[in-house]
Amino acid sequence: MMGTIIRYSLALIIGSALGLSSALYMAGLWPGAKPLDFGDVEVDGWRSDFAIGSKSADPYTRARVARHGLLALAKSEAVYFTRTTDDSGDLLREECDYRMVGGKMPANWWSITLYDARSLLPMNEDKALSIDATSITGDPENWSVLIAAQPPEQQVDWISSRNAGKFDLTLRLYVPDEALIADPEASFTSPAIERLSCEGESQ
Amino acid sequence: MKRWLGPLATLSIAAIAAHWATLHYAPSVIMDRALLALKDRGIAEHAFTTPERITPQTQAVVRSSPDLFYSLCRYDLSQEGAVLDVTVGQWPDYQSLSFFDEATNNFATIRATGRNAQTYLYFDDGEQNRPDSLIPSPTKRGLVLIRRLAPTQGTFRAAQKVSEADSCALKTP
């Protein structure tokens, strides 16, 4: 009798743990998982969940968005793309400097913001954690931004990665063009991210 | 072998139930914690609260944008017949009014670029006949969020000034 109780108790505990952990993992909520690598749209390494904010979002997407995109808008109002790697496929990190190059965006207004691994703005006082359509100083159809932990020596647009560790970039496109929603791969030329150098590397 | 069939079936059922329950309740638990955190940070119920400009030091919600002015209002429509009267002031650039239920769903958004706007929110219990102009909230509690494009300190101050015309008021019978 005691053996039966133990077997059923163990089954309950192990089953619950398996169910809980598999749900957390599949929804991108498991510690160490990379929830931003999920998504149903990818354009040159920039990933997006077009199901965000919609009632049709599956439970996995809803759980993931609730944790990492809380209070995000539906795609008719805003589209969010996130990039975690440079053009070589390596993770973006504070120890490296990058050049991001882009052009005209398919939306009324756009911004690109840097977040750390906890989905928070990194703790620094550089006041350089994003760029947007109104702050770009170069040609709006062919702009360039330096992403680095230290301010640039020359006068160029800069996003600070100081104290960010491994980070990602979120591109917000407000009031996106209909073509972007219909066919993102065809209508969106995404910003490229070239790694310039890394700490400890010979130039 | 036979004596393990029952425990194996129990393990499978427990795993499926726990998997489903985790996914089902995760958004509600996350939103509940977020609402609590916002309350602790001084976000009022039935009134818009404008936090400070988003910086690493002031951020309260993950992935907030430093280029936007946010104004938040927590609501609770538990009282029978209660309606939330929401107004946003006029802003020359992009602004929107978005509504989120207790499960984090963005169930309605009003874009009000270059104009002001007013709407009403009620709890949709499936039994009331309400005019189409009212917005039904799927849950009794939730959050209203104003976003205004304000990427500089100057435009943020201007958005703060405009926010004096914003209101989020509970009307009861």
Side-chain angles (χ1 to χ4, degrees), chain B residues 29-160:
Chain B
V29 170
I30 290 167
M31 187 62 159
D32 194 54
R33 287 172 58 185
L35 286 171
L36 208 59
L38 291 170
K39 182 183 177 187
D40 289 345
R41 283 186 168 247
I43 304 299
E45 191 173 70
H46 309 140
F48 276 115
T49 306
T50 302
E52 294 174 80
R53 192 165 182 226
I54 300 294
T55 67
Q57 292 74 28
T58 63
Q59 59 192 328
V61 175
V62 295
R63 296 195 174 267
S64 299
S65 169
D67 301 306
L68 295 170
F69 166 97
Y70 295 98
S71 197
L72 294 148
C73 168
R74 295 183 297 117
Y75 68 82
D76 186 344
L77 298 170
S78 297
Q79 198 174 333
E80 199 175 336
V83 171
L84 194 71
D85 180 349
V86 184
T87 303
V88 288
Q90 188 164 339
W91 180 242
D93 217 319
Y94 173 84
Q95 72 169 350
S96 64
L97 188 58
S98 46
F99 300 86
F100 297 86
D101 67 15
E102 276 184 287
T104 74
N105 296 312
N106 172 208
F107 63 89
T109 299
I110 296 171
R111 193 186 304 159
T113 303
R115 65 181 178 92
N116 59 2
Q118 182 176 25
T119 193
Y120 299 91
L121 194 70
Y122 71 96
F123 170 56
D124 184 13
D125 60 5
E127 292 179 4
Q128 303 167 76
N129 286 320
R130 302 273 189 165
D132 288 344
S133 55
L134 272 63
I135 296 175
S137 170
T139 58
K140 290 177 180 172
R141 291 193 316 149
L143 199 66
V144 187
L145 173 57
I146 295 173
R147 284 176 168 89
R148 289 193 174 106
L149 176 55
T152 65
Q153 188 63 44
T155 50
F156 188 85
R157 279 200 210 97
Q160 276 181 315

Side-chain angles (χ1 to χ4, degrees), chain A residues 71 77 115 168 170 172, chain B residues 19 59 63-64 67 94 147:
Chain A
L71 310 184
E77 197 63 24
Y115 295 100
D168 65 73
T170 289
R172 291 176 167 84
Chain B
H19 188 93
Q59 59 192 328
R63 296 195 174 267
S64 299
D67 301 306
Y94 173 84
R147 284 176 168 89

Side-chain angles (χ1 to χ4, degrees), chain A residues 7-8 11-12 14-16 18-20 22-24 26-27 29 36 53 55 59-60 62-63 66-74 76-77 80 82 109 111 113 115-116 118-125 129-132 134 168 170 172 174-175, chain B residues 3-8 10-12 14-16 18-20 22-24 26-27 30-31 34 38 54-57 59 61-68 70 72 94-96 98 100 103-107 109-111 113 143 145 147 149 151-152:
Chain A
R7 277 197 295 277
Y8 276 91
L12 262 177
I14 294 169
S16 299
L18 281 174
L20 173 73
S22 61
L24 292 175
M26 290 175 72
L29 303 177
L36 297 171
K55 287 175 185 168
Y60 299 98
R62 283 213 300 272
R67 168 66 182 85
H68 294 278
L70 188 64
L71 310 184
L73 292 165
S76 57
E77 197 63 24
Y80 308 86
T82 298
W109 175 77
S111 69
T113 310
Y115 295 100
D116 67 16
R118 299 169 303 151
S119 293
L120 294 170
L121 298 169
M123 200 54 78
N124 65 53
E125 295 179 354
L129 295 168
S130 72
I131 53 156
D132 79 286
T134 65
D168 65 73
T170 289
R172 291 176 167 84
Y174 272 76
V175 194
Chain B
R3 65 180 180 167
W4 285 101
L5 286 177
L8 278 173
T10 303
L11 186 147
S12 302
I16 292 167
H19 188 93
W20 178 86
T22 302
L23 290 175
H24 183 75
I30 290 167
M31 187 62 159
L38 291 170
I54 300 294
T55 67
Q57 292 74 28
Q59 59 192 328
V61 175
V62 295
R63 296 195 174 267
S64 299
S65 169
D67 301 306
L68 295 170
Y70 295 98
L72 294 148
Y94 173 84
Q95 72 169 350
S96 64
S98 46
F100 297 86
T104 74
N105 296 312
N106 172 208
F107 63 89
T109 299
I110 296 171
R111 193 186 304 159
T113 303
L143 199 66
L145 173 57
R147 284 176 168 89
L149 176 55
T152 65

